mmCIF file with all atom_site columns, all heavy atoms in Angstrom:
data_model
loop_
_atom_site.group_PDB
_atom_site.id
_atom_site.type_symbol
_atom_site.label_atom_id
_atom_site.label_alt_id
_atom_site.label_comp_id
_atom_site.label_asym_id
_atom_site.label_entity_id
_atom_site.label_seq_id
_atom_site.pdbx_PDB_ins_code
_atom_site.Cartn_x
_atom_site.Cartn_y
_atom_site.Cartn_z
_atom_site.occupancy
_atom_site.B_iso_or_equiv
_atom_site.pdbx_formal_charge
_atom_site.auth_seq_id
_atom_site.auth_comp_id
_atom_site.auth_asym_id
_atom_site.auth_atom_id
_atom_site.pdbx_PDB_model_num
ATOM 1   N N   . VAL I 1 5   ? -167.042 3.447   -79.935 1.00 0.00 ? 7   VAL I N   1
ATOM 2   C CA  . VAL I 1 5   ? -166.124 2.420   -79.430 1.00 0.00 ? 7   VAL I CA  1
ATOM 3   C C   . VAL I 1 5   ? -165.521 1.705   -80.634 1.00 0.00 ? 7   VAL I C   1
ATOM 4   O O   . VAL I 1 5   ? -166.240 1.093   -81.425 1.00 0.00 ? 7   VAL I O   1
ATOM 5   C CB  . VAL I 1 5   ? -166.865 1.421   -78.517 1.00 0.00 ? 7   VAL I CB  1
ATOM 6   C CG1 . VAL I 1 5   ? -165.901 0.345   -78.011 1.00 0.00 ? 7   VAL I CG1 1
ATOM 7   C CG2 . VAL I 1 5   ? -167.508 2.148   -77.341 1.00 0.00 ? 7   VAL I CG2 1
ATOM 8   N N   . ARG I 1 7   ? -163.086 -0.706  -80.389 1.00 0.00 ? 9   ARG I N   1
ATOM 9   C CA  . ARG I 1 7   ? -162.503 -2.007  -80.029 1.00 0.00 ? 9   ARG I CA  1
ATOM 10  C C   . ARG I 1 7   ? -163.070 -3.133  -80.884 1.00 0.00 ? 9   ARG I C   1
ATOM 11  O O   . ARG I 1 7   ? -164.237 -3.097  -81.291 1.00 0.00 ? 9   ARG I O   1
ATOM 12  C CB  . ARG I 1 7   ? -162.815 -2.363  -78.568 1.00 0.00 ? 9   ARG I CB  1
ATOM 13  C CG  . ARG I 1 7   ? -162.156 -1.524  -77.546 1.00 0.00 ? 9   ARG I CG  1
ATOM 14  C CD  . ARG I 1 7   ? -162.471 -2.015  -76.140 1.00 0.00 ? 9   ARG I CD  1
ATOM 15  N NE  . ARG I 1 7   ? -161.510 -3.003  -75.688 1.00 0.00 ? 9   ARG I NE  1
ATOM 16  C CZ  . ARG I 1 7   ? -161.520 -3.567  -74.487 1.00 0.00 ? 9   ARG I CZ  1
ATOM 17  N NH1 . ARG I 1 7   ? -162.482 -3.245  -73.617 1.00 0.00 ? 9   ARG I NH1 1
ATOM 18  N NH2 . ARG I 1 7   ? -160.614 -4.436  -74.146 1.00 0.00 ? 9   ARG I NH2 1
ATOM 19  N N   . PRO I 1 8   ? -162.280 -4.165  -81.126 1.00 0.00 ? 10  PRO I N   1
ATOM 20  C CA  . PRO I 1 8   ? -162.796 -5.330  -81.851 1.00 0.00 ? 10  PRO I CA  1
ATOM 21  C C   . PRO I 1 8   ? -163.841 -6.083  -81.034 1.00 0.00 ? 10  PRO I C   1
ATOM 22  O O   . PRO I 1 8   ? -163.920 -5.951  -79.810 1.00 0.00 ? 10  PRO I O   1
ATOM 23  C CB  . PRO I 1 8   ? -161.544 -6.198  -82.063 1.00 0.00 ? 10  PRO I CB  1
ATOM 24  C CG  . PRO I 1 8   ? -160.384 -5.283  -81.834 1.00 0.00 ? 10  PRO I CG  1
ATOM 25  C CD  . PRO I 1 8   ? -160.842 -4.278  -80.835 1.00 0.00 ? 10  PRO I CD  1
ATOM 26  N N   . PRO I 1 10  ? -165.164 -9.508  -79.281 1.00 0.00 ? 12  PRO I N   1
ATOM 27  C CA  . PRO I 1 10  ? -166.349 -9.180  -78.498 1.00 0.00 ? 12  PRO I CA  1
ATOM 28  C C   . PRO I 1 10  ? -166.077 -8.181  -77.368 1.00 0.00 ? 12  PRO I C   1
ATOM 29  O O   . PRO I 1 10  ? -166.982 -7.842  -76.634 1.00 0.00 ? 12  PRO I O   1
ATOM 30  C CB  . PRO I 1 10  ? -166.723 -10.540 -77.919 1.00 0.00 ? 12  PRO I CB  1
ATOM 31  C CG  . PRO I 1 10  ? -165.405 -11.202 -77.669 1.00 0.00 ? 12  PRO I CG  1
ATOM 32  C CD  . PRO I 1 10  ? -164.511 -10.761 -78.804 1.00 0.00 ? 12  PRO I CD  1
ATOM 33  N N   . ASP I 1 11  ? -164.839 -7.705  -77.238 1.00 0.00 ? 13  ASP I N   1
ATOM 34  C CA  . ASP I 1 11  ? -164.515 -6.807  -76.131 1.00 0.00 ? 13  ASP I CA  1
ATOM 35  C C   . ASP I 1 11  ? -165.272 -5.488  -76.215 1.00 0.00 ? 13  ASP I C   1
ATOM 36  O O   . ASP I 1 11  ? -165.485 -4.821  -75.197 1.00 0.00 ? 13  ASP I O   1
ATOM 37  C CB  . ASP I 1 11  ? -163.006 -6.541  -76.087 1.00 0.00 ? 13  ASP I CB  1
ATOM 38  C CG  . ASP I 1 11  ? -162.207 -7.765  -75.680 1.00 0.00 ? 13  ASP I CG  1
ATOM 39  O OD1 . ASP I 1 11  ? -162.747 -8.603  -74.933 1.00 0.00 ? 13  ASP I OD1 1
ATOM 40  O OD2 . ASP I 1 11  ? -161.052 -7.894  -76.109 1.00 0.00 ? 13  ASP I OD2 1
ATOM 41  N N   . ASN I 1 12  ? -165.673 -5.100  -77.419 1.00 0.00 ? 14  ASN I N   1
ATOM 42  C CA  . ASN I 1 12  ? -166.403 -3.845  -77.544 1.00 0.00 ? 14  ASN I CA  1
ATOM 43  C C   . ASN I 1 12  ? -167.729 -3.872  -76.794 1.00 0.00 ? 14  ASN I C   1
ATOM 44  O O   . ASN I 1 12  ? -168.203 -2.844  -76.297 1.00 0.00 ? 14  ASN I O   1
ATOM 45  C CB  . ASN I 1 12  ? -166.607 -3.477  -79.019 1.00 0.00 ? 14  ASN I CB  1
ATOM 46  C CG  . ASN I 1 12  ? -167.402 -4.512  -79.799 1.00 0.00 ? 14  ASN I CG  1
ATOM 47  O OD1 . ASN I 1 12  ? -167.696 -5.598  -79.304 1.00 0.00 ? 14  ASN I OD1 1
ATOM 48  N ND2 . ASN I 1 12  ? -167.729 -4.179  -81.029 1.00 0.00 ? 14  ASN I ND2 1
ATOM 49  N N   . GLU I 1 13  ? -168.327 -5.052  -76.674 1.00 0.00 ? 15  GLU I N   1
ATOM 50  C CA  . GLU I 1 13  ? -169.596 -5.158  -75.958 1.00 0.00 ? 15  GLU I CA  1
ATOM 51  C C   . GLU I 1 13  ? -169.419 -4.912  -74.465 1.00 0.00 ? 15  GLU I C   1
ATOM 52  O O   . GLU I 1 13  ? -170.302 -4.347  -73.806 1.00 0.00 ? 15  GLU I O   1
ATOM 53  C CB  . GLU I 1 13  ? -170.225 -6.534  -76.197 1.00 0.00 ? 15  GLU I CB  1
ATOM 54  C CG  . GLU I 1 13  ? -170.722 -6.760  -77.621 1.00 0.00 ? 15  GLU I CG  1
ATOM 55  C CD  . GLU I 1 13  ? -171.935 -5.901  -77.975 1.00 0.00 ? 15  GLU I CD  1
ATOM 56  O OE1 . GLU I 1 13  ? -172.497 -5.259  -77.064 1.00 0.00 ? 15  GLU I OE1 1
ATOM 57  O OE2 . GLU I 1 13  ? -172.311 -5.878  -79.165 1.00 0.00 ? 15  GLU I OE2 1
ATOM 58  N N   . THR I 1 14  ? -168.269 -5.323  -73.920 1.00 0.00 ? 16  THR I N   1
ATOM 59  C CA  . THR I 1 14  ? -167.975 -5.058  -72.510 1.00 0.00 ? 16  THR I CA  1
ATOM 60  C C   . THR I 1 14  ? -167.872 -3.560  -72.264 1.00 0.00 ? 16  THR I C   1
ATOM 61  O O   . THR I 1 14  ? -168.409 -3.016  -71.297 1.00 0.00 ? 16  THR I O   1
ATOM 62  C CB  . THR I 1 14  ? -166.665 -5.749  -72.102 1.00 0.00 ? 16  THR I CB  1
ATOM 63  O OG1 . THR I 1 14  ? -166.773 -7.152  -72.344 1.00 0.00 ? 16  THR I OG1 1
ATOM 64  C CG2 . THR I 1 14  ? -166.357 -5.510  -70.623 1.00 0.00 ? 16  THR I CG2 1
ATOM 65  N N   . THR I 1 15  ? -167.166 -2.886  -73.160 1.00 0.00 ? 17  THR I N   1
ATOM 66  C CA  . THR I 1 15  ? -167.037 -1.433  -73.054 1.00 0.00 ? 17  THR I CA  1
ATOM 67  C C   . THR I 1 15  ? -168.385 -0.761  -73.217 1.00 0.00 ? 17  THR I C   1
ATOM 68  O O   . THR I 1 15  ? -168.721 0.185   -72.482 1.00 0.00 ? 17  THR I O   1
ATOM 69  C CB  . THR I 1 15  ? -166.055 -0.910  -74.122 1.00 0.00 ? 17  THR I CB  1
ATOM 70  O OG1 . THR I 1 15  ? -164.789 -1.545  -73.938 1.00 0.00 ? 17  THR I OG1 1
ATOM 71  C CG2 . THR I 1 15  ? -165.881 0.590   -74.021 1.00 0.00 ? 17  THR I CG2 1
ATOM 72  N N   . ALA I 1 16  ? -169.176 -1.228  -74.171 1.00 0.00 ? 18  ALA I N   1
ATOM 73  C CA  . ALA I 1 16  ? -170.498 -0.640  -74.399 1.00 0.00 ? 18  ALA I CA  1
ATOM 74  C C   . ALA I 1 16  ? -171.379 -0.764  -73.161 1.00 0.00 ? 18  ALA I C   1
ATOM 75  O O   . ALA I 1 16  ? -172.086 0.181   -72.792 1.00 0.00 ? 18  ALA I O   1
ATOM 76  C CB  . ALA I 1 16  ? -171.170 -1.319  -75.592 1.00 0.00 ? 18  ALA I CB  1
ATOM 77  N N   . ALA I 1 17  ? -171.321 -1.926  -72.515 1.00 0.00 ? 19  ALA I N   1
ATOM 78  C CA  . ALA I 1 17  ? -172.135 -2.120  -71.306 1.00 0.00 ? 19  ALA I CA  1
ATOM 79  C C   . ALA I 1 17  ? -171.721 -1.154  -70.208 1.00 0.00 ? 19  ALA I C   1
ATOM 80  O O   . ALA I 1 17  ? -172.566 -0.583  -69.501 1.00 0.00 ? 19  ALA I O   1
ATOM 81  C CB  . ALA I 1 17  ? -172.001 -3.564  -70.825 1.00 0.00 ? 19  ALA I CB  1
ATOM 82  N N   . ALA I 1 18  ? -170.406 -0.937  -70.055 1.00 0.00 ? 20  ALA I N   1
ATOM 83  C CA  . ALA I 1 18  ? -169.919 -0.004  -69.034 1.00 0.00 ? 20  ALA I CA  1
ATOM 84  C C   . ALA I 1 18  ? -170.366 1.421   -69.341 1.00 0.00 ? 20  ALA I C   1
ATOM 85  O O   . ALA I 1 18  ? -170.752 2.180   -68.446 1.00 0.00 ? 20  ALA I O   1
ATOM 86  C CB  . ALA I 1 18  ? -168.397 -0.076  -68.945 1.00 0.00 ? 20  ALA I CB  1
ATOM 87  N N   . LEU I 1 19  ? -170.327 1.799   -70.612 1.00 0.00 ? 21  LEU I N   1
ATOM 88  C CA  . LEU I 1 19  ? -170.754 3.141   -71.001 1.00 0.00 ? 21  LEU I CA  1
ATOM 89  C C   . LEU I 1 19  ? -172.248 3.336   -70.782 1.00 0.00 ? 21  LEU I C   1
ATOM 90  O O   . LEU I 1 19  ? -172.688 4.387   -70.297 1.00 0.00 ? 21  LEU I O   1
ATOM 91  C CB  . LEU I 1 19  ? -170.404 3.393   -72.470 1.00 0.00 ? 21  LEU I CB  1
ATOM 92  C CG  . LEU I 1 19  ? -168.923 3.601   -72.778 1.00 0.00 ? 21  LEU I CG  1
ATOM 93  C CD1 . LEU I 1 19  ? -168.672 3.496   -74.278 1.00 0.00 ? 21  LEU I CD1 1
ATOM 94  C CD2 . LEU I 1 19  ? -168.455 4.952   -72.255 1.00 0.00 ? 21  LEU I CD2 1
ATOM 95  N N   . ARG I 1 20  ? -173.024 2.336   -71.130 1.00 0.00 ? 22  ARG I N   1
ATOM 96  C CA  . ARG I 1 20  ? -174.482 2.445   -70.936 1.00 0.00 ? 22  ARG I CA  1
ATOM 97  C C   . ARG I 1 20  ? -174.828 2.538   -69.453 1.00 0.00 ? 22  ARG I C   1
ATOM 98  O O   . ARG I 1 20  ? -175.762 3.247   -69.078 1.00 0.00 ? 22  ARG I O   1
ATOM 99  C CB  . ARG I 1 20  ? -175.184 1.263   -71.597 1.00 0.00 ? 22  ARG I CB  1
ATOM 100 C CG  . ARG I 1 20  ? -175.085 1.291   -73.124 1.00 0.00 ? 22  ARG I CG  1
ATOM 101 C CD  . ARG I 1 20  ? -175.824 0.148   -73.773 1.00 0.00 ? 22  ARG I CD  1
ATOM 102 N NE  . ARG I 1 20  ? -175.637 0.168   -75.223 1.00 0.00 ? 22  ARG I NE  1
ATOM 103 C CZ  . ARG I 1 20  ? -175.059 -0.794  -75.927 1.00 0.00 ? 22  ARG I CZ  1
ATOM 104 N NH1 . ARG I 1 20  ? -174.621 -1.901  -75.313 1.00 0.00 ? 22  ARG I NH1 1
ATOM 105 N NH2 . ARG I 1 20  ? -174.912 -0.683  -77.238 1.00 0.00 ? 22  ARG I NH2 1
ATOM 106 N N   . LEU I 1 28  ? -171.042 1.372   -81.847 1.00 0.00 ? 30  LEU I N   1
ATOM 107 C CA  . LEU I 1 28  ? -169.960 0.392   -81.994 1.00 0.00 ? 30  LEU I CA  1
ATOM 108 C C   . LEU I 1 28  ? -169.473 0.358   -83.436 1.00 0.00 ? 30  LEU I C   1
ATOM 109 O O   . LEU I 1 28  ? -170.275 0.264   -84.374 1.00 0.00 ? 30  LEU I O   1
ATOM 110 C CB  . LEU I 1 28  ? -170.436 -1.002  -81.596 1.00 0.00 ? 30  LEU I CB  1
ATOM 111 C CG  . LEU I 1 28  ? -170.901 -1.191  -80.146 1.00 0.00 ? 30  LEU I CG  1
ATOM 112 C CD1 . LEU I 1 28  ? -171.360 -2.623  -79.921 1.00 0.00 ? 30  LEU I CD1 1
ATOM 113 C CD2 . LEU I 1 28  ? -169.799 -0.833  -79.178 1.00 0.00 ? 30  LEU I CD2 1
ATOM 114 N N   . ARG I 1 59  ? -158.453 -16.624 -77.309 1.00 0.00 ? 61  ARG I N   1
ATOM 115 C CA  . ARG I 1 59  ? -159.524 -16.989 -78.244 1.00 0.00 ? 61  ARG I CA  1
ATOM 116 C C   . ARG I 1 59  ? -158.969 -17.858 -79.364 1.00 0.00 ? 61  ARG I C   1
ATOM 117 O O   . ARG I 1 59  ? -159.622 -18.796 -79.815 1.00 0.00 ? 61  ARG I O   1
ATOM 118 C CB  . ARG I 1 59  ? -160.184 -15.722 -78.796 1.00 0.00 ? 61  ARG I CB  1
ATOM 119 C CG  . ARG I 1 59  ? -160.918 -14.926 -77.720 1.00 0.00 ? 61  ARG I CG  1
ATOM 120 C CD  . ARG I 1 59  ? -161.514 -13.634 -78.235 1.00 0.00 ? 61  ARG I CD  1
ATOM 121 N NE  . ARG I 1 59  ? -162.119 -12.933 -77.105 1.00 0.00 ? 61  ARG I NE  1
ATOM 122 C CZ  . ARG I 1 59  ? -161.808 -11.702 -76.717 1.00 0.00 ? 61  ARG I CZ  1
ATOM 123 N NH1 . ARG I 1 59  ? -160.897 -11.009 -77.383 1.00 0.00 ? 61  ARG I NH1 1
ATOM 124 N NH2 . ARG I 1 59  ? -162.400 -11.143 -75.681 1.00 0.00 ? 61  ARG I NH2 1
ATOM 125 N N   . HIS I 1 81  ? -157.961 -8.019  -67.463 1.00 0.00 ? 83  HIS I N   1
ATOM 126 C CA  . HIS I 1 81  ? -158.889 -8.492  -68.493 1.00 0.00 ? 83  HIS I CA  1
ATOM 127 C C   . HIS I 1 81  ? -158.370 -9.776  -69.139 1.00 0.00 ? 83  HIS I C   1
ATOM 128 O O   . HIS I 1 81  ? -159.102 -10.759 -69.293 1.00 0.00 ? 83  HIS I O   1
ATOM 129 C CB  . HIS I 1 81  ? -159.087 -7.407  -69.546 1.00 0.00 ? 83  HIS I CB  1
ATOM 130 C CG  . HIS I 1 81  ? -159.926 -7.835  -70.708 1.00 0.00 ? 83  HIS I CG  1
ATOM 131 N ND1 . HIS I 1 81  ? -161.283 -8.070  -70.588 1.00 0.00 ? 83  HIS I ND1 1
ATOM 132 C CD2 . HIS I 1 81  ? -159.603 -8.094  -72.004 1.00 0.00 ? 83  HIS I CD2 1
ATOM 133 C CE1 . HIS I 1 81  ? -161.765 -8.452  -71.768 1.00 0.00 ? 83  HIS I CE1 1
ATOM 134 N NE2 . HIS I 1 81  ? -160.767 -8.478  -72.632 1.00 0.00 ? 83  HIS I NE2 1
ATOM 135 N N   . GLU I 1 232 ? -159.311 -0.398  -68.755 1.00 0.00 ? 234 GLU I N   1
ATOM 136 C CA  . GLU I 1 232 ? -160.623 0.094   -69.202 1.00 0.00 ? 234 GLU I CA  1
ATOM 137 C C   . GLU I 1 232 ? -161.165 1.193   -68.303 1.00 0.00 ? 234 GLU I C   1
ATOM 138 O O   . GLU I 1 232 ? -161.643 2.233   -68.777 1.00 0.00 ? 234 GLU I O   1
ATOM 139 C CB  . GLU I 1 232 ? -161.611 -1.079  -69.219 1.00 0.00 ? 234 GLU I CB  1
ATOM 140 C CG  . GLU I 1 232 ? -163.066 -0.680  -69.407 1.00 0.00 ? 234 GLU I CG  1
ATOM 141 C CD  . GLU I 1 232 ? -163.533 -0.844  -70.827 1.00 0.00 ? 234 GLU I CD  1
ATOM 142 O OE1 . GLU I 1 232 ? -162.886 -0.285  -71.747 1.00 0.00 ? 234 GLU I OE1 1
ATOM 143 O OE2 . GLU I 1 232 ? -164.540 -1.523  -71.017 1.00 0.00 ? 234 GLU I OE2 1
ATOM 144 N N   . LEU I 1 236 ? -162.296 5.133   -69.326 1.00 0.00 ? 238 LEU I N   1
ATOM 145 C CA  . LEU I 1 236 ? -163.610 5.727   -69.078 1.00 0.00 ? 238 LEU I CA  1
ATOM 146 C C   . LEU I 1 236 ? -163.507 6.967   -68.194 1.00 0.00 ? 238 LEU I C   1
ATOM 147 O O   . LEU I 1 236 ? -164.269 7.925   -68.364 1.00 0.00 ? 238 LEU I O   1
ATOM 148 C CB  . LEU I 1 236 ? -164.543 4.689   -68.464 1.00 0.00 ? 238 LEU I CB  1
ATOM 149 C CG  . LEU I 1 236 ? -164.807 3.447   -69.327 1.00 0.00 ? 238 LEU I CG  1
ATOM 150 C CD1 . LEU I 1 236 ? -165.790 2.508   -68.652 1.00 0.00 ? 238 LEU I CD1 1
ATOM 151 C CD2 . LEU I 1 236 ? -165.300 3.840   -70.720 1.00 0.00 ? 238 LEU I CD2 1
#
Side-chain angles (χ1 to χ4, degrees):
V7 179
R9 292 183 89 178
D13 291 331
N14 60 352
E15 291 291 351
T16 302
T17 302
L21 287 166
R22 292 182 183 118
L30 298 179
R61 294 177 183 123
H83 175 70
E234 169 99 306
L238 299 182

